């Protein structure tokens, strides 16, 4: 709980330290690798975050949230193919994650499939209509597809 509060409060380094200590004391505790991955990503340590998410998936291969977060990291790292594959796995497990639809859309856009990007980003906007980032991603996908932004 303290680690989550630290992470929510913008104290990513503190959350990482707390989670690493917890993991060393109780390495079999479910959920720690995924939470550590989120904290590491927030702290800017993308390589360690990815490794932590992958460790988490070894135990919980069907965790849509972890798959979605790993997909977003892979996209940030420039691997749109892997991001798309992970994002589609996450969406197949849980379609109610707006962020995964945006990652899928951005991956399709990076791979040169703007029509597919529009569909994925539109799903994101439908689930999170107030999200400015989602609307911006949809507008970019529509521009790339040669569609009106409206």
């Amino acid at each position: 709980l303290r680690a989550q509060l630290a992470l929510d409060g913008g104290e990513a380094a503190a959350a990482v330290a707390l989670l690493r200590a917890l993991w060393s004391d109780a390495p079999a505790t479910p959920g720690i690798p995924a939470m550590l991955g989120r904290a590491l990503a927030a702290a800017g340590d993308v390589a360690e975050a990815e490794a932590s998410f992958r460790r988490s998936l070894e135990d919980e291969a069907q965790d849509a949230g972890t798959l979605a977060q790993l997909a977003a990291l892979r996209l940030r790292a420039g691997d749109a193919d892997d991001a798309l594959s992970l994002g589609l796995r996450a969406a197949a497990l849980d379609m109610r994650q707006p962020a995964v639809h945006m990652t899928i859309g951005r991956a399709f856009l990076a791979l040169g499939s703007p029509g597919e990007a529009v569909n994925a980003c539109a799903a994101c906007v439908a689930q999170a209509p107030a999200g400015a980032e989602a609307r911006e991603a949809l507008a970019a996908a529509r521009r790339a597809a040669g569609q009106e932004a409206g």
Side-chain angles (χ1 to χ4, degrees), residues 66-130:
T66 300
L67 284 165
Q69 291 171 347
L70 181 56
L73 278 181
R74 295 306 304 144
L75 189 59
R76 275 178 48 191
D79 190 343
D81 285 315
D82 196 26
L84 181 59
S85 176
L86 291 162
L88 291 171
R89 281 177 53 200
L93 293 168
D94 183 359
M95 294 292 293
R96 300 164 297 166
Q97 295 186 69
V100 78
H101 292 289
M102 187 163 39
T103 298
I104 291 168
R106 287 180 170 160
F108 271 128
L109 199 55
L111 293 169
S113 297
E116 295 292 336
V118 168
N119 293 337
C121 291
C124 179
V125 170
Q127 291 180 5

Side-chain angles (χ1 to χ4, degrees), residues 102 106 121-122 124-126 128-143 149-150:
M102 187 163 39
R106 287 180 170 160
C121 291
C124 179
V125 170
E133 188 177 2
R135 290 191 315 273
E136 290 168 12
L138 177 57
R142 284 182 172 159
R143 282 191 302 276

